Amino acid sequence: MSKAIKDNIIRTKLHRPPVSDDLLLRTSLIEELEKNRFKPLTLVVAPAGYGKSLIISEWIEDQKLVNAWISLDGEINNLPIFLEYLCAALITIFPPKKQEFCSMTKAAVLPSLNILTTTLLNEIDDLENKFVLVLDDYQFIKDDQIHEFINAILKYPPKNMHLVIISRRDPPLKLSTFRAYNRISEIRMKQLAFSKNEIHLLFQKSFDQALSDKTAQLLFERTEGWIVALRLAILSVKNVEEADNLLANFGGDNFKISEFILTEILAKESEEIQNLLIISALFDRFCVELLDEVLPDLLNNDHAIKNGQEFIDGLLKTNLFVIPLDAERKWFRYHHFFQELLQREFKKRKCINNIDRFHFLVCQWFEKNLLILEAVKYAAIVKDYELAADILERQKNYLYNLDDSKNLEHLLSYIPPEIVEQRLPLILAKILTISSKFDLVGMEPYLDKCETLIGDPPREDEHYGEWCYHKGFMTSYIQEDQTAVIKYFTKAIELLPREPMGMIRAEAELQIEVSRHMTGQGTKALNNINNRLSQYYPKQGILWERLMFGLSLIHLLDGRLSYAYREALVLNEYTKKNDLLYVETWSSSILGVVALHKLELNKSEEFFKRVVKLQYLAFDRVAVDCIAGLAITYHFQREFEKSLETLKILFDYASSTNNPEHLHLLNAFEARLNLLSGKNSEALNWLRTFEMPVQISSMIYFFTNPVVTACRVSLALGSKDEIKKTVEQLEELHTGTKKLNYKCQSIDIRILLALGYEKSGRKEKALATLRKVIKTTALNDWIRPYVEVGPIIISLLSELQLIEPLADELNHVQAIKKAYLAINEEVEPEDSVLETNAGKKEGDLPLASNPVSHREHEIIALVSKGFRNKEIAADLYISENTVKKHLYNIYQKFEINNRTSLVDIFKKLEISKES
């Protein structure tokens, strides 16, 4: 969970209503609530004014319960917003140990409800203390997804959480199921209503006088114990004697009684105070500063009340249904029912001479104090959509820099689409929300609409600069020629101001340097970034973060693993310190990729696991690649069960994104994992159905590239003709990656090419290719690409050592062989074995008196195909121990101690068999 509540959360909605001294402590209800706390759910349902929220607040205070409170409203009637508030509420009581759930709530596209609820339940279950979670005013929730979420939470409720739902009506949850399993406690109107005795006690506490039994009985009969009517009655009289006079005209339904008493209360106040009461009820919350903004237009100069503080002090003194929303007593609201009564009164009278000016002043104050949500919402409520659009246009750059596209999308929803599509700045804001979901298809029509509004020739201003940024972003993913991309980003940087549009400008500066690298200007790109970074002190801010990521990415693309790791580690430590989870996913992904290429498996596991925890906050292709990287890491660690579990995580993630491309990537990666695991038939079945055009630009990702996976499977399992075609495709891929300066991918491709040349009988070409690539990888400790391809490449390296001394690369070659042996858990022969084979040359065929058995030949053949012991055992229906014994005997016969030598033996056996 995040360490701080986000800026778009109205914190006062997270505060429990305070319990005032003049309230009547309702001991029997508190005992009832406490008695049923072992049940997962308490449902409090009654019409407005029955003290639902207050009794729960009393119970929490009386029992000193740890609690999180959310006051719901129409604003929160939306699953993403609801989840953000839920996360923020939980943070108020428990310092977060994990961050999965909150990272999910910030994602541009939410994961499935199943994943959300599973993650939250597991995190709550890990908490040490018991707590109460209160969802107040649940009647405002109409979003079926929220109801589904609550049902799912209550299906397997955590033992340390008690949920309280307060509502004016039964929520559409599975209440009958909860009742059947005794999982619910219910408090309803009959229990909440004051008894005649409680009415006596209430008036005694308020006036220090006792009501007559007759008056108490009349009040009970007329109000039926309705608390708000009783409190209104107390406010409308000065003593118990006046109560009899009040009761003479007291009757009708609840609203008629309330309106009658409200009229009595207002009649005692001056016209100015009446207007202030009614007008302040238009706000969901108010404070002194907000009232001071509008008071000059509402009060006469000679009136006793001169400012908002005096007005609020008066409300508190008379206890006129006003509720403090924070400990500092800065924000207040009316009791909802009292607010509704005052709002009904507003419609009856003309309290404000210039209503348009009043609305403008309110919105202006909200905007000035950067309460953008409340400013836009208020303008939309009074149906001044043009004003709402004006506010959003002025503040969109501020919102951009919060890097919160989901909140921006929510604000845009208050403005009718026909108004949005007439305003260039708002269309550009819409494009940003779409691009955050990486919906390139969805961006295109809005970019076209912008182009029409911009005109030809375009007016060179920040709006055109912003359009150039979005156009460059989209083009960078659909075109391999980066020249046009650089042109768009150059114009964007030229036109975008440095401060107001910091986030978009920073993204443009990052993208242009990566594009420069891809067009052969890598040195220039690195120099540009380093020059810009040298201007930063202290090292912080959006641009610094993007440039540091760009620096590490370009080093990685160019194959410089150590440099990439160094820069990414600096950024990673900074993001952790400053709770920048989205940027942390980028830095962690680079650190994980580098570590896996170097086969530093503990490190790759650490960094990939971090991205997996934040997977729904990460850019989707980064998340897919890192989950795949973790599965490969576990495989190399011989944690095969964990590797399969991670594959399941990848499947769940790919399914939750509703992106068909991700399912293609998943299937391709599963084939890659099957090949590594010796499940050749499954890998081959995938290859037979695979069809996908080569997209060089997509090869910026490392572990989920279907085309490269197809080449791997074909080289390992294909026919001679298929291998020939694969070599041709790899040569095409090598040309493409070289053109875009993807040296990191070129390394994998050239090693696969060496394998392809060897398998198609072109050994000299294979060795020459391997010789070139080993010179490149030796400088940066690349190991994983060699180890993954398997024993044939390791054997080729041995042959290369015989041809050339490889003096400068010797340590690197030895490190590759050592890593290969370690991962495959090779059996080392005992000294006695070497002694009995004295006089034989390593790799000689066995004597006729000690020939290779049929079973041993089968095992040697499977080893040459890259099978591990576990896969050999499964294929031959024997135990893994039996496989090890056979290998031990084979090593004895040939005086060898590793699989690489065994591949050479297999070749000799095949030649011998043909002879």
Side-chain angles (χ1 to χ4, degrees):
M1 292 181 184
S2 173
K3 293 177 182 175
I5 300 173
K6 293 186 68 176
D7 288 338
N8 55 312
I9 295 291
I10 298 175
R11 292 177 173 84
T12 52
K13 293 182 183 180
L14 305 178
H15 295 161
R16 175 173 62 88
V19 177
S20 60
D21 294 336
D22 65 337
L23 285 179
L24 188 66
L25 187 65
R26 309 192 68 190
T27 308
S28 60
L29 277 177
I30 290 173
E31 289 174 352
E32 178 74 11
L33 288 163
E34 187 62 20
K35 182 179 72 175
N36 289 293
R37 185 151 61 97
F38 73 93
K39 298 177 183 178
L41 173 65
T42 291
L43 179 65
V44 184
V45 177
Y50 273 91
K52 302 182 293 294
S53 304
L54 281 176
I55 188 59
I56 297 300
S57 188
E58 282 184 63
W59 168 52
I60 287 171
E61 187 160 311
D62 184 72
Q63 299 295 315
K64 296 181 173 55
L65 303 175
V66 177
N67 69 96
W69 191 290
I70 309 175
S71 294
L72 303 169
D73 57 19
E75 180 68 32
I76 307 177
N77 181 36
N78 168 289
L79 182 62
I81 305 297
F82 174 85
L83 293 175
E84 282 198 58
Y85 271 92
L86 176 59
C87 179
L90 294 175
I91 289 170
T92 63
I93 55 172
F94 294 116
K97 292 183 179 178
K98 297 187 177 181
Q99 293 182 326
E100 293 97 315
F101 178 70
C102 271
S103 71
M104 291 176 183
T105 68
K106 299 172 191 173
V109 179
L110 287 175
S112 67
L113 278 177
N114 179 54
I115 291 171
L116 284 166
T117 53
T118 300
T119 304
L120 178 61
L121 288 171
N122 288 337
E123 288 190 11
I124 289 175
D125 193 55
D126 286 342
L127 296 173
E128 296 177 2
N129 299 324
K130 292 184 177 182
F131 69 100
V132 175
L133 172 63
V134 182
L135 302 179
D136 195 4
D137 288 317
Y138 196 86
Q139 71 275 358
F140 287 110
I141 302 301
K142 297 176 175 60
D143 187 334
D144 288 339
Q145 285 189 301
I146 298 177
H147 300 318
E148 286 180 49
F149 177 80
I150 299 298
N151 279 327
I153 292 294
L154 290 170
K155 186 176 182 180
Y156 302 106
K159 291 181 180 179
N160 52 352
M161 185 187 84
H162 182 81
L163 178 63
V164 177
I165 293 178
I166 303 172
S167 179
R168 294 184 184 180
R169 62 188 70 90
D170 278 358
L173 302 173
K174 296 181 179 179
L175 299 182
S176 57
T177 302
F178 302 151
R179 289 171 186 137
Y181 288 93
N182 195 30
R183 291 182 177 176
I184 184 172
S185 168
E186 298 178 67
I187 303 289
R188 295 193 172 267
M189 184 177 75
K190 186 176 180 181
Q191 296 153 282
L192 290 166
F194 269 31
S195 66
K196 188 172 77 171
N197 183 52
E198 286 175 317
I199 293 172
H200 267 296
L201 293 173
L202 181 64
F203 274 78
Q204 177 75 38
K205 189 166 188 176
S206 299
F207 297 111
D208 201 21
Q209 282 182 276
L211 275 179
S212 66
D213 285 341
K214 179 182 176 183
T215 304
Q217 181 65 33
L218 276 172
L219 273 170
F220 179 70
E221 289 173 1
R222 300 280 177 89
T223 64
E224 296 182 340
W226 188 31
I227 298 170
V228 73
L230 294 168
R231 290 194 60 78
L232 283 168
I234 290 171
L235 288 170
S236 64
V237 298
K238 294 179 180 178
N239 50 54
V240 294
E241 286 79 13
E242 289 188 11
D244 291 326
N245 296 329
L246 180 71
L247 288 171
N249 299 306
F250 211 47
D253 61 28
N254 285 348
F255 264 108
K256 285 181 180 177
I257 291 172
S258 302
E259 287 183 329
F260 166 73
I261 300 176
L262 179 65
T263 303
E264 293 290 313
I265 293 170
L266 292 178
K268 296 179 179 180
E269 304 293 346
S270 66
E271 184 180 351
E272 287 84 2
I273 296 297
Q274 290 183 37
N275 287 346
L276 275 176
L277 283 167
I278 293 167
I279 290 165
S280 57
L282 297 177
F283 309 129
D284 289 335
R285 61 175 186 159
F286 54 87
C287 64
V288 169
E289 293 81 3
L290 174 57
L291 293 176
D292 284 343
E293 184 79 13
V294 298
L295 277 175
D297 282 18
L298 301 177
L299 296 177
N300 298 326
N301 291 330
D302 58 349
H303 198 277
I305 290 184
K306 302 296 183 185
N307 55 52
Q309 186 64 61
E310 290 184 13
F311 175 68
I312 290 176
D313 288 344
L315 292 178
L316 293 170
K317 186 177 180 180
T318 57
N319 197 19
L320 203 56
F321 287 91
V322 66
I323 300 170
L325 294 177
D326 49 33
E328 295 77 20
R329 294 200 162 205
K330 177 180 178 179
W331 288 97
F332 299 85
R333 71 168 174 85
Y334 290 116
H335 183 285
H336 291 315
F337 185 71
F338 189 64
Q339 181 185 19
E340 289 169 18
L341 290 175
L342 290 170
Q343 287 175 346
R344 286 158 68 100
E345 195 68 23
F346 176 81
K347 294 176 182 178
K348 295 178 184 178
R349 24 169 128 181
K350 186 178 181 181
C351 302
I352 306 172
N353 293 326
N354 189 341
I355 190 67
D356 292 334
R357 174 175 165 75
F358 173 79
H359 292 326
F360 175 79
L361 288 172
V362 172
C363 291
Q364 183 184 60
W365 186 87
F366 280 131
E367 182 183 2
K368 182 172 64 178
N369 288 274
L370 295 180
L371 299 169
I372 314 303
L373 173 61
E374 288 173 275
V376 172
K377 178 184 174 184
Y378 186 88
I381 287 172
V382 299
K383 300 192 183 308
D384 194 340
Y385 299 115
E386 294 294 340
L387 177 58
D390 288 342
I391 294 167
L392 195 48
E393 277 193 17
R394 286 193 295 269
Q395 297 298 331
K396 73 180 182 67
N397 292 343
Y398 167 76
L399 294 165
Y400 284 179
N401 290 336
L402 292 178
D403 209 0
D404 185 5
S405 60
K406 188 165 63 176
N407 189 35
L408 181 61
E409 184 177 23
H410 181 58
L411 287 166
L412 282 166
S413 69
Y414 282 105
I415 304 170
E418 58 271 20
I419 293 178
V420 171
E421 293 179 16
Q422 292 171 2
R423 293 178 173 235
L424 180 57
L426 296 187
I427 302 175
L428 290 166
K430 179 77 174 176
I431 293 170
L432 184 68
T433 66
I434 297 170
S435 69
S436 70
K437 302 173 185 176
F438 202 64
D439 182 3
L440 300 180
V441 175
M443 289 174 67
E444 196 162 7
Y446 288 100
L447 283 168
D448 292 343
K449 192 178 291 289
C450 283
E451 195 168 14
T452 302
L453 293 174
I454 288 168
D456 187 18
R459 185 174 66 256
E460 301 227 337
D461 57 13
E462 71 175 53
H463 301 315
Y464 180 52
E466 192 176 343
W467 179 86
C468 287
Y469 163 75
H470 290 303
K471 189 72 173 177
F473 175 83
M474 187 178 76
T475 307
S476 68
Y477 285 95
I478 62 176
Q479 278 185 211
E480 290 178 10
D481 181 7
Q482 296 292 299
T483 307
V485 175
I486 292 174
K487 177 184 172 185
Y488 285 125
F489 285 136
T490 301
K491 181 57 71 174
I493 293 168
E494 176 189 329
L495 297 176
L496 291 173
R498 288 183 183 275
E499 291 304 323
M501 303 195 73
M503 192 275 285
I504 289 185
R505 187 186 169 92
E507 291 284 354
E509 292 205 33
L510 160 64
Q511 297 276 0
I512 195 172
E513 302 307 343
V514 174
S515 295
R516 281 199 177 106
H517 169 80
M518 293 165 66
T519 56
Q521 303 175 69
T523 302
K524 181 180 180 180
L526 290 174
N527 287 338
N528 287 348
I529 292 176
N530 282 315
N531 287 337
R532 295 288 280 122
L533 286 171
S534 67
Q535 300 169 17
Y536 272 85
Y537 188 84
K539 295 176 170 60
Q540 61 185 25
I542 293 174
L543 181 56
W544 182 85
E545 296 157 16
R546 266 46 175 191
L547 291 174
M548 282 297 293
F549 170 67
L551 191 61
S552 56
L553 177 61
I554 291 171
H555 281 311
L556 180 57
L557 292 176
D558 211 33
R560 294 187 291 270
L561 298 183
S562 298
Y563 287 94
Y565 190 91
R566 182 188 66 194
E567 308 299 350
L569 190 61
V570 172
L571 179 60
N572 192 254
E573 290 171 353
Y574 170 82
T575 59
K576 287 181 178 178
K577 182 180 178 181
N578 293 280
D579 198 30
L580 302 170
L581 299 181
Y582 174 69
V583 184
E584 187 187 343
T585 63
W586 285 100
S587 58
S588 293
S589 70
I590 289 183
L591 292 167
V593 168
V594 170
L596 184 50
H597 285 329
K598 288 188 168 191
L599 227 58
E600 295 173 350
L601 299 178
N602 289 338
K603 287 183 179 179
S604 65
E605 179 186 4
E606 174 192 347
F607 291 115
F608 284 143
K609 281 172 74 174
R610 182 61 180 156
V611 180
V612 172
K613 283 184 178 181
L614 302 173
Q615 59 186 279
Y616 292 99
L617 187 59
F619 180 56
D620 56 3
R621 281 295 271 111
V622 169
V624 168
D625 215 49
C626 288
I627 299 170
L630 183 60
I632 293 174
T633 297
Y634 283 137
H635 181 88
F636 285 150
Q637 290 175 327
R638 305 188 68 77
E639 297 273 6
F640 301 120
E641 291 299 322
K642 285 185 178 180
S643 184
L644 291 175
E645 288 169 9
T646 307
L647 185 64
K648 174 66 167 56
I649 292 172
L650 182 57
F651 177 81
D652 289 341
Y653 179 83
S655 302
S656 72
T657 62
N658 296 317
N659 186 337
E661 182 192 1
H662 291 165
L663 294 176
H664 291 308
L665 298 175
L666 167 67
N667 292 332
F669 177 71
E670 186 176 20
R672 181 175 182 175
L673 211 55
N674 282 334
L675 185 65
L676 278 170
S677 304
K679 298 176 182 177
N680 293 350
S681 58
E682 288 94 330
L684 203 55
N685 287 340
W686 170 80
L687 181 64
R688 298 290 181 250
T689 61
F690 173 71
E691 287 183 13
M692 183 176 281
V694 176
Q695 289 182 303
I696 304 297
S697 60
S698 69
M699 294 186 69
I700 197 169
Y701 303 103
F702 299 94
F703 309 117
T704 49
N705 194 295
V707 175
V708 176
T709 298
C711 292
R712 289 181 188 279
V713 176
S714 180
L715 289 178
L717 307 173
S719 64
K720 288 184 178 180
D721 287 342
E722 287 173 325
I723 289 173
K724 182 181 177 182
K725 288 180 182 177
T726 301
V727 168
E728 291 172 357
Q729 188 171 38
L730 283 167
E731 288 172 337
E732 181 187 346
L733 286 173
H734 177 47
T735 302
T737 54
K738 189 175 180 181
K739 181 181 178 183
L740 288 179
N741 290 284
Y742 284 175
K743 191 178 288 184
C744 54
Q745 293 289 15
S746 177
I747 288 168
D748 262 303
I749 290 165
R750 284 188 288 166
I751 292 171
L752 289 171
L753 266 174
L755 176 64
Y757 291 142
E758 167 71 4
K759 296 196 97 174
S760 55
R762 300 158 69 184
K763 184 175 290 289
E764 286 187 12
K765 185 81 169 172
L767 291 171
T769 302
L770 200 58
R771 181 71 185 91
K772 289 180 181 179
V773 76
I774 202 75
K775 280 184 174 293
T776 302
T777 59
L779 297 172
N780 290 280
D781 301 325
W782 285 77
I783 293 178
R784 191 270 317 154
Y786 298 97
V787 171
E788 184 172 358
V789 170
I792 294 178
I793 284 295
I794 306 301
S795 179
L796 279 173
L797 284 173
S798 298
E799 291 185 49
L800 190 61
Q801 283 182 281
L802 296 175
I803 299 170
E804 296 187 41
L806 297 177
D808 295 335
E809 297 84 23
L810 181 60
N811 290 339
H812 182 49
V813 171
Q814 288 175 340
I816 292 169
K817 290 182 175 181
K818 184 179 179 181
Y820 179 78
L821 292 173
I823 282 175
N824 289 284
E825 294 185 349
E826 296 292 1
V827 179
E828 296 283 352
E830 297 176 3
D831 292 341
S832 58
V833 175
L834 297 177
E835 289 170 8
T836 58
N837 285 285
K840 282 181 58 185
K841 293 180 181 179
E842 182 178 333
D844 280 350
L845 293 178
L847 300 174
S849 59
N850 194 16
V852 176
S853 69
H854 175 70
R855 175 65 82 193
E856 288 172 341
H857 191 277
E858 285 181 319
I859 289 173
I860 294 170
L862 291 174
V863 168
S864 72
K865 291 181 179 180
F867 278 43
R868 304 323 192 241
N869 292 353
K870 188 174 182 179
E871 287 77 51
I872 293 171
D875 198 74
L876 298 179
Y877 299 99
I878 58 178
S879 73
E880 197 170 345
N881 282 335
T882 303
V883 173
K884 288 181 179 179
K885 288 177 182 177
H886 280 302
L887 283 172
Y888 178 81
N889 290 333
I890 294 167
Y891 288 174
Q892 244 187 341
K893 291 177 182 181
F894 293 104
E895 194 187 347
I896 59 174
N897 62 7
N898 59 68
R899 276 171 148 79
T900 305
S901 300
L902 199 55
V903 173
D904 292 332
I905 295 296
F906 177 71
K907 292 177 184 176
K908 292 178 181 178
L909 286 172
E910 292 300 295
I911 293 170
S912 175
K913 191 166 66 172
E914 288 174 8
S915 300

